[in-house]
Amino acid sequence: MSYGYNGNILHVNLSTKETLVEHPEEGFYRKYCGGRALALYYMLKEMKPNTNAFSPENLLIFATSVIVGTRAPAINRYTVCAKSPLTGAQGESEAGGFWGPELKMAGFDAIIIRGCSEKPVYLWIKDGQVEIKDASKLWGKDTGEAQSLIRQELDDSRIRVALIGKGGENLVRFANIVNELSHFNGRNGLGAVMGSKKLKAIAVRGNNKINVVDPEKIKEVTRAYAKRVMENPLSKGLRDNGTIGFISGGNQEGWLPTRNWTQAGFEKDEHYNIKTFNKKYLKKVESCYACPIACKRVVEVDDGKIRVDRMYGGPEYETAVTFGSLCGVDDLTYICKASELCARYTLDSISTGVTIAFAMHCFEKGIISQEDTDGLELKFGNKEEMLTLLEKIANREGFGNLLAEGSQRAAQKIGKDAEKLLRVGKKQEIPMHDVRVKTGLGLQYALADYGADHMKAAHDPFFANKDSWGTKEMGGIGIYEPVSPTDIGEKKVILFKKLDIYWSLFDILGICYFGWVPRGIGSLEELLDIINSITGWRTSWYELMQVAERSINMARIFNLREGFTDKNDTMPEVFYENLKGGKLDNTGAIDKEDFEKAIKTRYGLMGWDEKSIPTKGKLIDLGLDWLIEEVERIE
Ligand code: SF4
């Protein structure tokens, strides 16, 4: 009997309409565990290098993990992987919500999708049975309507649906996938891959219980965890104010990205007042599966002009900053509307907001004019134009069609120095965290194989001094020495090597960052107890960290095969300049030479050569000897 996992991986070919269930051995589950590690295994084994992201040969993989689906707290996430149409690299994104646990309870650990349907379809998975169903009537519908129609057709309101809106259907290169209308697999265009396969949705329903070895231990840890939620400021703050509650603090500290990163700090701080937001917009808080924290926001607006539907949840930190200070917009009603539209159409809110801010910056600089923008006056702060442009991107209409390619491709077409205004890492628009005040995150922006992402490691302030939560709680994986958030020396590189591996493990196992150390209230000891109580493996941090390191090496090799090199491990030039405006005015520039040296040091720590190619010894050590020939071909 297997514990924690089903032993079933579903393969679906949308071209031939064939399905097949694979039953890997326990050793496979122990070596790859789920998420990105499992997905990369199939991507490297079954995809040829330089596969077009929109071709039938691109694999679209949905993977849960060996521990998702029990009632253990804040362990509910799943991963989607494919080659990214935005970056051309390994694409990857994790989402919370309810879909991952439901897939496990429906009898599958992962779904590997290949091929391309001629007509729109959706997958219907229930208790081990799989059907490919016609989705012609759903194509073109917003996510809310499509989800309702699927539930009506299948006559079950408890079905969980992961789906795309018109952003994915129209192959916007940063389209995402959403489940429960407000939990996103965002960033690198995996919704567009789904659209290219004419796959509107995957609906799942399961009645099976996940077998675990020690249910009593899981209950004991879960009860103790739930007791602490309202006592600990980390979880209480998230529950009371969500991630949007952090914005004003960042602004007052002097680093909030503003007007396409030309300023650090937004003069309209009152606009981000969390008390006003909670009073005026917040209708309720929601949670993901089996999480007592409940950090998700639900907003509603109807001011006669703008109506925001509460079924699409509400803005998180990133969305509120990209459509707020980054575009120079000081009206939360418009930010809530932008957030709703991104959920309706499945557009990544970071890439959409950053791309619009980039276009506004080009307009302000005279690089583009109203002749280029379909008559839109794209000045910073023009909130009506911001929403109009968002709609145009989703519909690939006029100027929106150019921006739907992502800001880097748009800049290349626009020319005239537009590229100088880009804020991207591996063609992916950067998130709303200024790495001049947290340099370790800068390393992660540069090194992330799936493009710059704020979820690639814990952030530096959790290790700032000896009393910081991360420094105090993470001795079990060798982290106990504080490092200044702005340090970029060897100590920082060592810290972030460990954090990168640890965070990758979270992605593999489906663990929410907000629930466990260093960002949450669950301890390392409790987490290991949970993993062992579910699987019965008597595993260790050593074994688990090796699983994660394996995935990092596989991602690197996938990208090397696609032509990426050490030259792609960069971050935007703006971070080598001082912050402008705000409390930190004229300070903060990262020394480029120091940063590049840190990147090379990191390669060494990972067992990679100067060009970031994993050494043969490292691959053997990680049990990846099956990739040695692949690496030799790259060299
Ligand atoms: S902390 Fe928030 S995002 Fe994480 S599982 Fe709980 S509700 Fe979901």
Side-chain angles (χ1 to χ4, degrees), residues 74-77 96-97 183 238 286-289 291-296 512-515:
I75 302 176
N76 50 47
R77 294 169 75 80
H183 303 271
L238 274 171
E286 280 187 344
S287 195
C288 301
Y289 175 85
C291 178
I293 297 173
C295 75
K296 308 294 288 187
C512 177
Y513 321 89
F514 292 136

Side-chain angles (χ1 to χ4, degrees), residues 22-85:
E22 183 191 357
H23 308 287
E25 298 287 324
E26 181 172 19
F28 172 84
Y29 281 97
R30 199 147 175 166
K31 191 166 175 183
Y32 299 103
C33 287
R36 67 195 309 251
L38 183 148
L40 279 157
Y41 172 85
Y42 286 96
M43 287 165 76
L44 283 160
K45 286 255 176 186
E46 299 189 14
M47 275 170 71
K48 290 204 178 98
N50 300 311
T51 297
N52 184 318
F54 290 144
S55 75
E57 288 76 33
N58 194 7
L59 295 184
L60 178 65
I61 300 174
F62 291 71
T64 66
S65 85
V66 293
I67 60 167
V68 163
T70 76
R71 299 299 302 176
I75 302 176
N76 50 47
R77 294 169 75 80
Y78 69 99
T79 298
V80 181
C81 280
K83 179 171 171 182
S84 161

Side-chain angles (χ1 to χ4, degrees), residues 230-387:
M230 291 311 286
E231 290 163 12
N232 191 302
L234 285 174
S235 47
K236 188 175 181 318
L238 274 171
R239 190 188 181 98
D240 290 347
N241 299 321
T243 55
I244 200 168
F246 303 133
I247 300 175
S248 188
N251 198 26
Q252 285 166 23
E253 282 168 24
W255 53 264
L256 193 76
T258 301
R259 296 186 178 84
N260 200 32
W261 300 81
T262 55
Q263 287 168 254
F266 195 38
E267 63 282 4
K268 310 272 181 68
D269 190 56
E270 74 284 359
H271 146 76
Y272 282 130
N273 185 301
I274 192 63
K275 285 195 181 127
T276 314
F277 175 83
N278 287 348
K279 200 166 160 206
K280 188 169 170 195
Y281 298 93
L282 187 70
K283 294 303 158 203
K284 65 170 180 158
V285 297
E286 280 187 344
S287 195
C288 301
Y289 175 85
C291 178
I293 297 173
C295 75
K296 308 294 288 187
R297 309 288 95 180
V298 176
V299 301
E300 189 173 46
V301 179
D302 192 354
D303 66 3
K305 186 174 170 206
I306 300 265
R307 187 173 170 270
V308 178
D309 195 324
R310 63 190 291 163
M311 79 171 149
Y312 293 102
E316 304 270 1
Y317 168 92
E318 302 292 334
T319 310
V321 179
T322 51
F323 291 112
S325 58
L326 199 77
C327 287
V329 167
D330 64 352
D331 188 335
L332 276 167
T333 298
Y334 281 73
I335 290 172
C336 290
K337 186 65 190 173
S339 170
E340 183 223 75
L341 291 176
C342 283
R344 271 182 195 274
Y345 305 149
T346 56
L347 294 180
D348 178 71
S349 63
I350 299 176
S351 281
T352 307
V354 174
T355 301
I356 292 173
F358 155 78
M360 286 174 160
H361 199 176
C362 287
F363 190 91
E364 296 265 4
K365 287 255 179 200
I367 294 172
I368 54 173
S369 68
Q370 280 174 282
E371 276 180 29
D372 305 293
T373 64
D374 312 326
L376 293 176
E377 195 181 21
L378 278 187
K379 288 191 168 164
F380 284 126
N382 282 4
K383 55 194 182 185
E384 302 285 352
E385 284 77 359
M386 178 179 82
L387 292 186

Side-chain angles (χ1 to χ4, degrees), residues 99-126:
W99 190 91
E102 196 75 26
L103 181 70
K104 284 286 290 284
M105 289 184 274
F108 296 102
D109 305 309
I111 313 173
I112 321 279
I113 300 165
R114 70 196 75 219
C116 181
S117 177
E118 273 178 24
K119 290 183 183 160
V121 290
Y122 75 93
L123 283 184
W124 168 221
I125 298 171
K126 185 177 182 193

Side-chain angles (χ1 to χ4, degrees), residues 168-181:
E169 294 174 13
N170 292 333
L171 310 187
V172 175
R173 285 186 189 267
F174 43 86
N176 59 21
I177 300 167
V178 67
N179 80 84
E180 294 299 296
L181 306 183

